[in-house]
Amino acid sequence: MKLAKLGAGPEIFHTVQGEGISAGCPAVLIRTSRCNLHCVWCDTDHTWNFEGTPWPHEKDAVPGYTKHRKADVTFELSPADAARAILAFGCPRVVITGGEPLLQEKELLETARIILAEMPDCIFEVETNGTRIPSPEFGETVHQFNVSPKLSNAGMPENLRLVPEALAHFAASPKAWFKFVVATPSDLAEIQTLRSRFAIPPQRILLMPEGRTAAELDLSAPQLAELCRDLGYRFCDRLHIRLWGDKRGV
Ligand code: SF4
């Protein structure tokens, strides 16, 4: 399967989950490469923003920024080798992120089954943009879906970023938790519209402050927490930014 590359190896590392309802839990993170979306602010664009692709990105304005050479940022690994690398940490929680992991669901299911054969209590979380419905087998194996539908600030047409059948599927699944970064009042208005359009239970919606540093998070967090209180949503901090900023592989 295609994973993101970190240094000379695959992007698989032991960390603590930084966001969502299991924030703070020790976990092994595995990052798949490739995404079916191309958000202009994506902070993992090494998984999809390759040379020769037409997608714009905020970083285009940064002097010296160039798109990634696919071979430099991709690491091919079999499900058996990925399972072995994950099991080596001895940690009973695996966070599968991307990119968009559901593009490689078959290989990930095989990986999860190998891990479960050795570590039956292992918990699997999948971070997804909510545009694809998992197969019944994968849906049964995964314990938690952290769904982040993309808002208009991602810079893509609605028909690409919002797939009604998939969002309705996750809204109806008690395994799915919806998390959104809120930067502006219009973000909140879009979230409210999504909530009513897809009947997402408010108690499974998490709002997170925007920011790439702890100081930036602090600016909007108190106000956002009060909003969550009033709307019945869950406030979620962004632990990895507080602990490590935007450093990769931790
Ligand atoms: S869906 Fe996620 S990984 Fe894909 S481009 Fe958007 S932010 Fe990046």
Side-chain angles (χ1 to χ4, degrees), residues 26 30 40 223 240:
I30 171 170
V40 288
Q223 202 184 355
H240 56 301

Side-chain angles (χ1 to χ4, degrees), residues 102 128 130 132-134 145 147 166-173 176 178 204:
L102 288 173
T128 175
R132 296 173 73 98
I133 300 177
F145 288 93
V147 186
L167 288 173
H169 167 87
F170 286 118
S173 166
F178 289 75
R204 285 199 276 115

Side-chain angles (χ1 to χ4, degrees), residues 73-92:
V73 288
T74 305
F75 197 99
E76 298 253 4
L77 205 60
S78 68
D81 285 342
R84 196 169 308 125
I86 290 168
L87 282 164
F89 292 105
C91 178

Side-chain angles (χ1 to χ4, degrees), residues 1-72:
M1 81 186 121
K2 291 178 173 51
L3 300 181
K5 196 170 183 180
L6 183 68
E11 196 164 340
I12 298 175
F13 56 92
H14 198 199
T15 184
V16 293
Q17 171 61 296
E19 294 179 357
I21 58 157
S22 45
C25 293
V28 178
L29 186 140
I30 171 170
R31 187 180 305 285
T32 61
S33 186
R34 312 297 188 257
C35 190
N36 57 334
L37 299 185
H38 33 89
C39 305
V40 288
W41 42 255
C42 177
D43 60 359
T44 54
D45 71 309
H46 60 293
T47 62
W48 58 269
N49 196 14
F50 305 132
E51 283 178 345
T53 58
W55 322 121
H57 194 281
E58 275 178 2
K59 289 184 201 157
D60 294 339
V62 177
Y65 175 76
T66 52
K67 285 176 180 273
H68 303 274
R69 273 192 61 222
K70 210 183 264 186
D72 291 346

Side-chain angles (χ1 to χ4, degrees), residues 120-134:
D121 294 337
C122 190
I123 290 168
F124 292 90
E125 296 182 31
V126 171
E127 316 252 15
T128 175
N129 57 31
T131 57
R132 296 173 73 98
I133 300 177

Side-chain angles (χ1 to χ4, degrees), residues 101-183:
L102 288 173
L103 297 178
Q104 300 182 77
E105 170 192 89
K106 189 168 148 278
E107 293 81 0
L108 290 168
L109 179 61
E110 199 180 330
T111 306
R113 284 179 169 159
I114 296 168
I115 293 170
L116 286 168
E118 290 206 25
M119 198 191 281
D121 294 337
C122 190
I123 290 168
F124 292 90
E125 296 182 31
V126 171
E127 316 252 15
T128 175
N129 57 31
T131 57
R132 296 173 73 98
I133 300 177
S135 69
E137 297 79 13
F138 196 58
E140 274 164 30
T141 304
V142 169
H143 300 80
Q144 184 179 312
F145 288 93
N146 305 320
V147 186
S148 296
K150 300 307 169 219
L151 306 179
S152 54
N153 62 22
M156 281 167 295
E158 183 177 315
N159 66 328
L160 288 183
R161 56 188 172 79
L162 301 180
V163 177
E165 309 74 45
L167 288 173
H169 167 87
F170 286 118
S173 166
K175 290 185 176 183
W177 298 79
F178 289 75
K179 60 184 180 128
F180 299 93
V181 171
V182 179

